[in-house]
Amino acid sequence: MKFMRVGPVGRERPVLFADGRHFDLSSLTADIDGEFLASDGVRRVREATDLPEIDVTGQRVGAPVARPGVVLCVGQNYAAHAAESGAAPPTDPIIFYKAPNTVVGPYDEVLIPRGSTKTDWEVELAVVVGRPARYLASPADALGHIAGYVLSNDVSERDFQLAVSGGQWSKGKSCETFQPLGPWLVTADEVGDPQALRLRSWVNGEPRQDSSTKDMIFDVAYLVWHLSQYTVLEPGDVINTGTPQGVALSGRFPYLTAGDVMEVEIDGLGRQRNTLRDA
């Protein structure tokens, strides 16, 4: 199943997208959020009948999960991206946090921060947690705690992240609008194998990234298990699983400027299109 949130910022309504049609879920839940996932909301939608069909033409599409408790991110989880960043592949997952208020919709504007000269794109597969995960016994247990997957763009400001960071990356990751998500939250059963997805990005129509999640150093199940050893993952939390090679940090492409258009796409999870403007 594919879940969406449609409407003005702060007033989105929950929607099911199925077979090219849109259905209002307001009778079942106020929102697509941690509470919905924790209360077996996906099952209730599966069992629902006579959901009202709606026309969403011309309406804003919001992030498919309401403001998560945390946005956890994994750095340098593709060997080629680590190399283009000037680093050796990590032997343990690199983890950092992104402020939850960075989350925006898949077609919203993205703001270039004041003083920025190195705003960059990162297409990523994001995990949405469906059940609490605390000290999971093994990676084999992890997939059962995943509600689904979301297309993510982990927008970054490299000087903020690296030059003036003091060693922590979140300063370059937590600028407003730096976390486009969506258009859909796709349930895990519909996605299938999360390690067999093509992910791509473009800037102004020109290709940038083109890779597969099979190239991850640490796969999705391992990451969820690993994180559960250090923090409690709760329903609605978002985990960015890393980006492949092909970002501006590599030196092969220019950084983003106002008026540029970023597009990212993952098989089965949709496509985003965000225009950049100055904050």
Side-chain angles (χ1 to χ4, degrees), residues 53-75:
E53 187 171 358
I54 57 173
D55 183 3
V56 302
T57 303
Q59 296 188 53
R60 172 184 172 271
V61 177
V65 58
R67 184 168 170 170
V70 297
V71 179
L72 275 162
C73 305
V74 181

Side-chain angles (χ1 to χ4, degrees), residues 93-153:
I94 298 170
I95 304 300
F96 59 94
Y97 283 86
K98 193 160 192 165
N101 64 1
T102 58
V103 172
V104 295
Y107 316 116
D108 290 342
E109 287 185 323
V110 169
L111 303 180
I112 297 176
R114 293 180 182 181
S116 168
T117 58
K118 293 184 178 180
T119 297
D120 206 347
W121 60 89
E122 291 191 0
V123 60
E124 304 202 14
L125 174 68
V127 172
V128 178
V129 177
R131 295 171 52 209
R134 174 181 178 272
Y135 295 123
L136 297 180
S138 71
D141 295 334
L143 296 181
H145 292 259
I146 295 172
Y149 300 92
V150 176
L151 171 62
S152 169
N153 187 351

Side-chain angles (χ1 to χ4, degrees), residues 158-177:
R158 301 305 187 185
D159 267 349
F160 297 0
Q161 176 188 351
L162 302 171
V164 295
S165 66
Q168 300 289 329
W169 290 1
S170 293
K171 189 186 292 183
K173 299 285 188 171
S174 292
C175 305
E176 62 178 328
T177 73

Side-chain angles (χ1 to χ4, degrees), residues 135-140 142 220-230 233:
Y135 295 123
L136 297 180
S138 71
V220 167
Y222 182 90
L223 290 172
V224 173
W225 167 79
H226 178 84
L227 286 166
S228 80
Q229 308 307 301
Y230 300 95
L233 302 173

Side-chain angles (χ1 to χ4, degrees), residues 187-265:
T187 52
D189 62 304
E190 183 166 327
V191 171
D193 183 359
Q195 306 306 146
L197 303 174
R198 186 183 184 188
L199 63 174
R200 294 181 285 172
S201 67
W202 300 259
V203 176
N204 299 328
E206 297 179 357
R208 292 294 187 259
Q209 296 168 280
D210 189 349
S211 190
S212 170
T213 55
K214 69 179 175 59
D215 295 329
M216 287 182 185
I217 298 170
F218 306 104
D219 65 22
V220 167
Y222 182 90
L223 290 172
V224 173
W225 167 79
H226 178 84
L227 286 166
S228 80
Q229 308 307 301
Y230 300 95
T231 188
V232 178
L233 302 173
E234 298 183 340
D237 288 350
V238 171
I239 305 169
N240 282 332
T241 59
T243 197
Q245 72 277 13
V247 298
L249 180 63
S250 68
R252 294 187 289 129
F253 307 109
Y255 286 101
L256 297 163
T257 58
D260 285 344
V261 177
M262 298 182 293
E263 295 176 276
V264 299
E265 181 179 85

